[in-house]
């Protein structure tokens, strides 16, 4: 009797756990998956969206002129084809691209969306991404009427654009959420309510939103009007949970309730003991120490920066201090995944890896002291964020510079907002910063240290650098652009303008029954568009 | 008539032969008596020894254990307490270009449904904690390979462990692992990919890296002679009796240094504010009247002030910049806001003593205020004062720990027990010793001071005097 009940019990349990995995997070028969969002999208207005969750949901339910395919290449979407000629771009729209109410997506919808994203009263934070359009920037600043922006609908299916200057990567920009279409009659009818709820948004993407229980859940269903619906396998995506707590998400994953969760330094150990298959993904972001190049700062001295460059080992930071897999030591502002002329940029233009040489470093330091006219370099302020890893890295740098060069570092730990304010005001000597790509082109990193870029917080100002950024901006010839970018990389090394630290990687869990999920550096991440549940 | 004439004898002292029954004991002063009673209290005496031990640990310890508490030993990160380890000296790390086959396609010519696992996975060069280099034979149809590492033998494809990295071409057939390598058993696994999706087949090998140290590091740590150029010799690594923290810093040295901050605040602050409290409460109690009322209302006002807010205000007020130690403002805030409790106690005591008969008598004999206070009142209130002090010390040690825990106290790299707990709590599950040791020190210190305080309360209570 005992043995019998034991068998019964174990059967019961094994069945229960099986059905939990099958029935909730993935369902083969219905091709349904369940996911968890880190937070609720504040709103789904493509003109205004800036946050990550909107950036994840929007590309699933809407589509621009072009989109990224599974391998991250630009492919036609609403636009069937396009011609680009110096400053003139013409998109030919496909006739079978439909809104979720059955009407065609037309060129007018793009004109309306772009004009209104640039309209000063919309106050879109991502308006700058439309600045390549001729008169776009002036219209955004209120100097010109939005009617003067050089985007015209020749007919319903032809969109003609004039750019401010030739821009090689304009087509890639067109995949960005701010470039999505919006239909005028619908948006005007909804007014301020536009995109606030399921019925307040028109969809033209692979999925449509059918349920949005605020601060609880979302539901996406396959769009039967989508022009390319045969390629879409999933019928439903349930975003049934909203939590950013990695521990809670891991528990949901263990219970088979969600298909994906990201792991951090503590949760990955549990995932290992649970024997889950852990995967790795490079986010595409580069983290570096930015020096303050303002004149009154000691870090404006080249030799001081060179001294630090020759004692810092990115490899040691990544392998010993960060200690989680996925990160790569960074030797350049340009991460390894960027495309060059034909292959990867970093293979065509290899970055110089600074040699570790304590004697050289000490010589540089002596020179720096002489030039600054001091006996000792005054303590440098290292501004960092308030995450545990940021503090740990800062302490590592503090110990390293003290031990190798006798330099004192003072660690200034600040919250994100406060750190940004101090960065802008220049209240630091060194700041731990990072940069993620907005679009898939070297320029998203290249112009970061141009003297006019507001994100160049250290105020690095180098005429030669600016000149090469302008060369790259003014040309559409890949060779010319990449040569200029290669030179930028060299200048940053020679000037030791920044101290590249690591290229960020994350580790995560994905239900093995779900195939074809794409992790993206730019665009929706993770992208479930082409995913399918296998048996 | 017999007249008596006194002789000289009569004027001598008679010897008293029998002293009779007499009970005496040596006269004991108040303090001697208190000490006697304290000595009988085992708990209090043990606590006293612990406190003396802590004082030695803090003051003498750093002279005996000379390891630099800020030195980062990245070869030994988060080590648990253990005996010194042996490591082999190796030359500097040399970059490895890896193996890329030129005659093999980077991207598969056609995408196969099933890509077999690579064969012949092997270790290139020696496997050390400096690096583990792997190579394998290319697989037809592969567009890259993913490398995994686990600390136990994989049971299935879902049990391969940490994804270390991947190669991005079917012809890149090598990988170098340098991620937190320890001298322990690892299982490396390899899975082919078509550039996006992984195959379902894998291959594993077991590798146990040899613990090594770079010659230059060994020299800078003084583990080998400055002139020595020998490699491949075995040496002992630095000894960390209490293990190391997340940056390889010696826990024992950090605990000693941290004790300085903790005990400095814990002893100095109460000492200052108890002194002020005596003066303040003494004046209020002794002079009484309107002055008393005014002083005590002001004390009530100070009690109502929020402590944390004041620490922050002082930190700003003192111009303590980012990354500078907040210990001084903490001390000042503690002193400025801590005295009312003592003042109240002393006032009560003084009010009581003031009415005693011996004070009246002294006054009648013309004693001045000054004499009365120093000679009669303070010594008689001393018991209460001492007890307050011993209870204030652990309270302030705890406050310091709390403030350092939330980042209001010391600035890195200076440790204090509180900030060490804060760091340790992040790795509580994986490396518990980083939290347990500082927490233990805080607990023991606070407990010892509290038990000693208890003992002193009993010993110094004058009603207990001369009672066995």
């Amino acid at each position: 009797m005992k043995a019998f009940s034991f068998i019964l019990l174990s059967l019961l349990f094994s069945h229960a756990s099986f059905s939990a995995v099958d029935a909730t997070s993935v369902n083969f028969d219905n091709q349904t998956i369940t996911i968890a969002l880190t937070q609720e999208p504040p709103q789904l207005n493509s003109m205004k969206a800036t946050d990550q969750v909107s950036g994840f949901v929007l590309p699933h339910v809407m589509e621009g002129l072009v989109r990224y395919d599974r391998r991250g290449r630009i492919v036609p979407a609403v636009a069937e084809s396009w011609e680009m000629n110096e400053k003139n771009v013409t998109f030919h729209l496909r006739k079978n691209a439909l809104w979720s109410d059955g009407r065609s997506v037309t060129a007018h919808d793009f004109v309306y969306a772009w004009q209104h994203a640039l309209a000063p009263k919309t106050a879109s934070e991502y308006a700058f991404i439309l600045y390549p359009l001729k008169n776009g920037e002036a219209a955004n600043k209120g100097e010109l009427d939005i009617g003067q922006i050089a985007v015209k609908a020749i007919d319903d299916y032809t969109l003609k654009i004039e750019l401010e200057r030739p821009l090689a990567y304009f087509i890639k920009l067109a995949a960005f959420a701010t470039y999505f279409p919006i239909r005028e009659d619908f948006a005007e009818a909804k007014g301020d309510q536009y995109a606030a709820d399921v019925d307040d948004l028109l969809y033209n993407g692979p999925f449509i939103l059918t349920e949005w229980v605020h601060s609880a859940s979302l539901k996406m269903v396959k769009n039967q009007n989508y022009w390319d619906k045969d390629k879409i396998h999933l019928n439903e995506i349930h975003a049934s949970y909203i939590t950013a707590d990695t521990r809670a998400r891991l528990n949901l994953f263990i219970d088979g309730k969600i298909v994906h969760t990201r792991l951090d330094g503590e949760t990955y150990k549990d995932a290992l003991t649970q024997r889950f298959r852990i995967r790795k993904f490079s986010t595409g972001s580069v983290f570096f120490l930015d020096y303050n190049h303002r004149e009154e700062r000691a870090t404006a001295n080249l030799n001081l920066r060179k001294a630090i460059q020759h004692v810092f080992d990115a490899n040691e930071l990544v392998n010993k201090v960060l200690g989680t897999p996925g990160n790569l030591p960074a030797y350049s502002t340009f991460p390894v995944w960027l495309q060059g002329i034909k292959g990867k940029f970093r293979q065509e233009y290899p970055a110089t890896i600074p040699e570790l040489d304590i004697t050289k470093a000490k010589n540089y330091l002596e020179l720096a002291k002489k030039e600054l006219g001091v006996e000792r370099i005054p303590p440098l302020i290292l501004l960092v964020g308030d995450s545990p890893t940021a503090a740990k890295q800062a302490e590592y740098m503090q110990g390293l510079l003290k031990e190798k060069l006798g330099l004192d570092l003072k660690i200034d730990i600040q919250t994100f907002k406060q750190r940004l304010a101090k960065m802008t005001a220049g209240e630091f000597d060194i700041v731990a910063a990072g940069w993620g790509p907005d679009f898939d082109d070297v320029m998203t990193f290249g112009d970061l240290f141009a003297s006019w870029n507001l994100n160049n917080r250290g105020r690095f100002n180098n005429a030669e650098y600016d000149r090469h950024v302008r060369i790259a901006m003014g040309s559409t010839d890949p060779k010319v652009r990449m040569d200029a970018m290669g030179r930028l990389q060299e200048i940053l090394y020679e000037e030791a303008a920044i101290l590249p630290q690591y290229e960020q990687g994350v580790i995560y869990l994905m239900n093995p029954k779900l195939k074809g999920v794409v992790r993206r550096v730019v665009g929706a991440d993770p992208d479930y568009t082409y995913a399918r549940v296998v048996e | 008539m017999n007249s008596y004439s006194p002789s000289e004898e009569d004027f001598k002292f008679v010897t008293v032969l029998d002293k009779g029954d007499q009970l005496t004991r040596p006269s004991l002063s108040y303090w001697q008596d208190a000490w006697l009673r304290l000595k009988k209290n085992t708990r209090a005496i043990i606590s006293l020894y612990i406190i003396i031990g802590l004082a030695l640990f803090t003051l003498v310890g750093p002279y005996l254990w000379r390891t630099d508490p800020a030195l980062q030993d990245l070869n030994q990160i988060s080590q648990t307490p253990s005996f010194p380890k042996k490591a082999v000296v190796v030359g500097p790390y040399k970059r490895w270009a890896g193996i890329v086959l030129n005659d093999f396609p980077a991207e598969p010519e056609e995408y196969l449904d099933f890509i077999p696992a690579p064969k012949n996975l092997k270790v290139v060069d020696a496997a050390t904690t400096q690096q583990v280099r792997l190579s394998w034979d290319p697989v037809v149809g592969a567009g890259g390979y993913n490398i995994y590492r686990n600390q136990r033998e994989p049971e299935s494809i879902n049990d391969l462990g940490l994804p270390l990295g991947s190669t991005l071409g079917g012809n890149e057939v090598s990988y170098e692992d340098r991620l937190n390598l320890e001298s322990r058993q690892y299982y490396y696994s390899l899975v082919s990919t078509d550039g996006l999706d992984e195959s379902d087949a894998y291959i594993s090998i077991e590798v146990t890296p040899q613990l090594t140290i770079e010659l230059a590091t060994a020299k800078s740590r003084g583990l080998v002679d400055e002139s020595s150029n020998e490699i491949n010799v075995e040496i002992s690594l630095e000894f960390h009796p209490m293990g190391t923290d997340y940056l390889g810093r010696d826990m024992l040295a950090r605990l000693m240094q941290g004790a300085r901050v903790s005990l400095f605040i814990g002893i100095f602050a109460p000492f200052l504010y108890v002194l002020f409290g005596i003066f303040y409460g003494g004046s209020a109690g002794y002079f009484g009247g309107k002055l008393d009322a005014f002083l005590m209302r002001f004390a009530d006002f100070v009690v109502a002030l929020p402590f944390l807010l004041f620490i922050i205000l002082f930190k700003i007020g003192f111009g303590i910049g980012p990354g500078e130690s907040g210990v001084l403002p903490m001390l000042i805030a503690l002193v400025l806001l801590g005295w009312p409790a003592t003042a109240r106690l002393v006032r009560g005591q003084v009010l009581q003593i003031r009415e005693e008969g011996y004070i009246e008598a002294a006054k009648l004999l013309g004693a001045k205020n000054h004499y009365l206070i120093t000679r009669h009142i303070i010594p008689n209130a001393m018991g209460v004062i001492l007890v307050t002090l011993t209870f204030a010390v652990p309270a302030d040690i705890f406050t310091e720990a709390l403030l350092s825990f939330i980042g209001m106290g010391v600035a890195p790299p200076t440790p204090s027990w509180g900030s060490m707990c804060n760091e340790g709590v992040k790795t509580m599950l994986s490396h518990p010793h980083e939290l347990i040791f500082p927490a233990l020190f805080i607990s023991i210190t606070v407990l010892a001071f509290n038990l000693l305080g208890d003992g002193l309360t009993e010993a110094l209570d004058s009603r207990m005097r001369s009672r066995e």
Side-chain angles (χ1 to χ4, degrees), chain A residues 7-73:
Chain A
I7 291 166
L8 199 73
L9 217 67
S10 64
L11 270 175
L12 211 71
F13 272 117
S14 64
H15 178 73
S17 62
F18 260 105
S19 65
V21 172
D22 284 356
T24 47
S25 81
V26 290
N27 186 317
F28 172 70
D29 295 329
N30 299 332
Q31 288 291 319
T32 307
I33 61 166
T34 309
I35 58 168
L37 298 178
T38 50
Q39 62 171 68
E40 188 188 2
Q43 33 85 15
L44 287 172
N45 185 340
S46 55
M47 294 189 287
K48 292 184 181 173
T50 53
D51 63 292
Q52 238 183 332
V53 182
S54 310
F56 161 74
V57 177
L58 269 174
H60 281 92
V61 296
M62 294 189 79
E63 189 174 65
L65 292 163
V66 294
R67 66 181 302 135
Y68 289 102
D69 74 351
R70 284 190 64 194
R71 286 174 187 272
R73 292 175 294 217

Side-chain angles (χ1 to χ4, degrees), chain A residues 103-120:
Chain A
R103 286 171 56 182
S104 283
V105 179
T106 66
H108 302 286
D109 303 333
F110 287 94
V111 175
Y112 176 81
W114 298 2
Q115 282 180 346
H116 284 81
L118 280 167

Side-chain angles (χ1 to χ4, degrees), chain A residues 22 32 46 76-77 84 89 130 162 200 233 238 262 286 290 294 300 358 381-382 441 443 446-447 456 471 527 531:
Chain A
D22 284 356
T32 307
S46 55
M84 195 167 171
V89 192
L130 291 159
E162 195 183 335
D200 300 328
H233 302 286
H238 297 258
R262 183 175 161 172
V286 175
D290 197 356
R294 290 168 179 83
I358 185 92
I381 293 172
L382 172 61
D441 186 85
M443 188 54 89
D447 72 351
N456 173 6
I471 292 175
D527 187 348

Side-chain angles (χ1 to χ4, degrees), chain A residues 27-33 206-208 210 219-224 229 232-238 528-529 531-533:
Chain A
N27 186 317
F28 172 70
D29 295 329
N30 299 332
Q31 288 291 319
T32 307
I33 61 166
F207 298 91
I208 57 170
T210 56
K219 184 172 162 191
M220 291 184 259
V221 173
K222 183 173 174 179
N223 183 358
Q224 297 302 336
K229 68 173 178 190
I232 311 302
H233 302 286
L234 287 183
N235 284 322
E236 288 174 19
I237 302 174
H238 297 258
Y528 295 106
T529 309
R532 62 185 197 282
V533 181

Side-chain angles (χ1 to χ4, degrees), chain A residues 216-256:
Chain A
S217 67
L218 276 90
K219 184 172 162 191
M220 291 184 259
V221 173
K222 183 173 174 179
N223 183 358
Q224 297 302 336
N225 283 328
Y226 184 55
W227 63 272
D228 202 14
K229 68 173 178 190
D230 294 345
K231 284 220 184 106
I232 311 302
H233 302 286
L234 287 183
N235 284 322
E236 288 174 19
I237 302 174
H238 297 258
S240 306
Y241 307 92
I242 296 180
T243 173
D245 180 355
T246 49
R247 175 72 51 187
R249 290 173 66 106
L250 178 64
N251 288 337
L252 284 172
F253 188 91
I254 291 172
D255 294 345

